[in-house]
Amino acid sequence: MKKVFVSLVLLLFFTSYGIAQNTSGFTLMSSAQTGIGFSNEVPVFERLNVLISQYHYNGGGVAIGDVNNDGLSDVFFVKNFGPDKLYLNKGDFQFEDISKAAGIEGGESWETGVTMVDINHDGWTDIYVSRSGLAPNTPNKNLLYINQGVSKDQNGRDIVTFNEEGILFGLFDNSHSTDAAFFDYDRDGDLDLYLLNHNINRITQYDFDKKMLGRNDKVGDILFRNDNGFFTDVSEEAGIIGKDIRKSFYVFLFGTRKYVSLMCYLTRSHQKMSGTYIIKAR
């Protein structure tokens, strides 16, 4: 009995010790420790709220990538409504807000997603921001920030800056976007773009069948082909249906070096609406 009692005491001790030491492998770090103080507060307007727009809380997002080529992962946050934030990783879980100096804050717009990608293959990570015109009088054209590399500021410090060049690449798109995925769908060595869009209006059961017919250029998904640095909408010829109803998507690359297929899986916001695009090797 004594041995059982001692064993129970030891078990409780080590269990308590494990909890105290947080054996889960993760440690919660405060904004005071890291310097990341981002908060995505979604505003509510008299004429724009979840009762009026079912997509009111769609938006916000995060992308992680090395924007200054120092080997550390930097963090980019987008807000539903308000300035975006870019945090430069200084090492040892310390981050610096360089948003204003980098030129990526974006202004007052309803932003729904962000993707980091070296779109022009120059060795520097660029940023593509998806936007939707949900809030009153807000611009909804998507933004492409091209990384200008590292330079010196007036105090001699290294800074990384971006130029918004979406219109030069054919990606200053004004559909109602949710997110974007870059991949080489035609296997020509450059990155193409699948842009996930959504309908900002309510769809009733009465309208459901009608909305399933044909393509909606404003809210339908778009496949952009990269033609020597300029992106061309090839959705219809590629067989992208682009109906009014969709919610999220994933892009997978699978196969062998000799035979590669790309699969785009879309989940819809209504029942029986999931689907898959398989792009076969040619």
Side-chain angles (χ1 to χ4, degrees), residues 21-123:
Q21 293 298 310
N22 189 11
T23 55
S24 66
F26 294 92
T27 301
L28 179 63
M29 303 188 72
S30 68
S31 58
Q33 292 173 292
T34 63
I36 296 179
F38 177 83
S39 177
N40 184 28
E41 299 176 358
V42 181
V44 175
F45 303 102
E46 181 180 354
R47 296 187 179 182
L48 184 64
N49 52 67
V50 73
L51 298 177
I52 296 174
S53 171
Q54 61 182 321
Y55 301 108
H56 184 72
Y57 291 103
N58 280 20
V62 59
I64 297 175
D66 184 4
V67 300
N68 62 343
N69 287 349
D70 64 352
L72 300 174
S73 296
D74 310 303
V75 186
F76 188 100
F77 292 99
V78 297
K79 275 192 173 184
N80 279 61
F81 192 73
D84 301 328
K85 293 296 179 181
L86 176 60
Y87 291 92
L88 195 68
N89 192 337
K90 310 295 288 184
D92 197 26
F93 296 102
Q94 300 296 306
F95 293 83
E96 178 186 357
D97 182 356
I98 63 166
S99 311
K100 189 170 183 179
I104 54 78
E105 289 189 307
E108 300 295 325
S109 60
W110 201 275
E111 301 187 340
T112 52
V114 56
T115 306
M116 283 189 174
V117 59
D118 182 7
I119 198 170
N120 53 2
H121 298 284
D122 65 349

Side-chain angles (χ1 to χ4, degrees), residues 67-233:
V67 300
N68 62 343
N69 287 349
D70 64 352
L72 300 174
S73 296
D74 310 303
V75 186
F76 188 100
F77 292 99
V78 297
K79 275 192 173 184
N80 279 61
F81 192 73
D84 301 328
K85 293 296 179 181
L86 176 60
Y87 291 92
L88 195 68
N89 192 337
K90 310 295 288 184
D92 197 26
F93 296 102
Q94 300 296 306
F95 293 83
E96 178 186 357
D97 182 356
I98 63 166
S99 311
K100 189 170 183 179
I104 54 78
E105 289 189 307
E108 300 295 325
S109 60
W110 201 275
E111 301 187 340
T112 52
V114 56
T115 306
M116 283 189 174
V117 59
D118 182 7
I119 198 170
N120 53 2
H121 298 284
D122 65 349
W124 296 92
T125 299
D126 310 304
I127 302 169
Y128 190 70
V129 177
S130 300
R131 305 201 294 182
S132 181
L134 293 178
N137 302 317
T138 58
N140 68 308
K141 291 185 182 296
N142 295 342
L143 303 174
L144 175 61
Y145 293 111
I146 297 298
N147 196 326
Q148 303 301 300
V150 175
S151 59
K152 298 288 185 181
D153 66 8
Q154 58 184 4
N155 297 318
R157 298 177 59 202
D158 287 341
I159 59 170
V160 57
T161 57
F162 295 81
N163 286 343
E164 201 292 305
E165 299 182 8
I167 194 169
L168 300 180
F169 284 77
L171 293 178
F172 200 51
D173 184 77
N174 66 344
S175 54
H176 299 289
S177 301
T178 298
D179 213 344
F182 290 87
F183 59 98
D184 185 9
Y185 100 95
D186 54 0
R187 300 189 303 134
D188 64 349
D190 55 25
L191 294 174
D192 310 296
L193 167 63
Y194 190 99
L195 186 63
L196 180 77
N197 295 327
H198 71 103
N199 193 349
I200 65 170
N201 300 312
R202 284 187 175 274
I203 298 176
T204 65
Q205 189 62 40
Y206 176 79
D207 295 328
F208 187 82
D209 291 337
K210 184 170 36 176
K211 294 293 185 181
M212 292 307 300
L213 300 175
R215 175 174 177 78
N216 188 327
D217 291 330
K218 186 67 175 177
V219 303
D221 298 348
I222 302 175
L223 177 64
F224 288 99
R225 184 183 63 215
N226 189 340
D227 296 325
N228 298 316
F230 190 84
F231 286 77
T232 305
D233 182 351

